[in-house]
Amino acid sequence: MSAAEVVDLPVVVLGGGLAGVACAHRLADADVPVVLVDRNDYHQFQPLLYQVATSQLPAEDVARPHRTVFRRHPAVQVRTIEAVAVDAGARAVTLADGQVLRGSALVLAAGAQPEFFGVPGAAEHAFPLYSVADAERLRRHLHDVVRTGADAPDGARHVVVVGGGPTGVETAGAVAELFAALAHTGRLAGPAKVTLVDRGSALLAPFAEASHAYAHEHLVRHGVDVRLGTGVAAVHADRVELTDGTVLPARTVVWGGGESAAPILAGAGVPTGRGGRVTVRPDLRVEGLHHVYAVGDAANVPDGDGDGTLPQLGSVAQQSGRTAADNLLRERAGEDPHPFRYRDKGIMAMIGRNAAVAEVGRKHHQVEGPVAFAAWLGVHAMLLSGAHSKTDAFLSWGWDYFDRDHAALVEMSSTPHRIAWGDDEADVPHIVVDGTPARSAAG
Ligand SMILES: Cc1cc2nc3c(=O)[nH]c(=O)nc-3n(C[C@H](O)[C@H](O)[C@H](O)COP(=O)(O)OP(=O)(O)OC[C@H]3O[C@@H](n4cnc5c(N)ncnc54)[C@H](O)[C@@H]3O)c2cc1C
């Protein structure tokens, strides 16, 4: 390929999550043509998936069609199709229809997938929580669970959540609240139970000790059976075997136990490290390749302080996507790329209604309760602003959600409380779960 040919080609961005969208927006702002490839025609906001799974939000509220996301960025052409192969050396992506997209540059932003660590039965029987489709599938399953009659088999109303990180803690808290609300209003035919299992010795391991204790105490107070220091040995349709020999009768296992890089990256001709994620240089370029970057959950993003890497967080994805775009623009201008500098706004988790922990800012100042929730809301509003224009709707939904004791209103059968995005009807994403479309926005 000649130099002129290369410059004329668009930048190919594989993945339209937080990282890919941030990168494409930045490039389009500089009038650089971009082709963005994603299997879904929407961007999904993972931090709120557990709320979809527990009927607190409809699926449409955490997904946004890419055509809306890029409405004001005509330089971005979106291709909604599965990518089946990547040849990073050639900066080429092969699509499911056989077409090969070659770019002047390639940005790998394909995210991650649930990692079952080879636990027998987990891939077949557990419910992962990584996509809107996963969340909707779990919501439908829980819908059936709460409708089981008094003669339900053993474990029918027992939910085992695997993983004591933010995903597991948030999900366990929300399911426990859902069961409590349904029991309170007489809509459960028998007792329901939530168990959280983690190999480690504390919940929310990346947080400080005070947050471990706060999360533990909150979950236990809400009836969650927290089992630490034990892993999952096998998952069956009707029970879970733990590594300490315990067998828990349970027909619902939610997998928040870890993730690894998107499978397409394994054969892409790029160096990979922990979790199968792409190894990148401090400026996010892939070692040994020209004009190829990897960002977000697809990469082991260097922390800039030494040999460490940053966790898989929305803010890391968004910021690394933007930096990759800035560096591509520098390369096009004949300048050297800059190293990625992460602006750490802290880490936070919602443990339940009215309960959150946060470690705010670079120094991770610890807060809990309403202040932590305000921090959670602010950081997530910033993340959402990349793809959803109306963050004020999100903020007012958030305060309402936090403020109100609406346990008694939780209703599995009716339309859940919405974030009032107020967008037009054409803005409804096309979410398909196991061949069937999810509810419509009106639904
Ligand atoms: C349940 C959950 C809760 C979370 N909560 C928080 C939180 O509270 N705060 C926080 O900061 N972070 C949170 N995170 C992490 C955060 O959401 C991620 O770090 C971030 O979304 C990663 O963005 P990404 O763009 O790298 O990947 P993704 O958002 O996963 O995007 C990757 C995109 O690539 C597409 N893709 C992949 N392979 C292909 C292919 N072969 N063909 C076509 N398209 C493909 C996918 O469809 C997807 O749209 C959470 C994650 C999960 C799973």
Side-chain angles (χ1 to χ4, degrees), residues 15-19 38-40 46-47 81-83 109-111 129-130 167 264 296-297 312-315 317 380:
L18 284 170
D38 201 300
R39 63 168 67 93
N40 299 318
Q46 292 167 331
I81 189 165
E82 183 80 24
L129 202 49
Y130 198 80
T167 299
I264 195 168
D297 282 5
Q312 284 68 58
L313 286 175
S315 42
H380 288 82

Side-chain angles (χ1 to χ4, degrees), residues 33 149 158 185 194 355 415:
H158 186 187
T185 49
V194 181
T415 310

Side-chain angles (χ1 to χ4, degrees), residues 262-273:
I264 195 168
L265 299 168
V270 290
T272 53

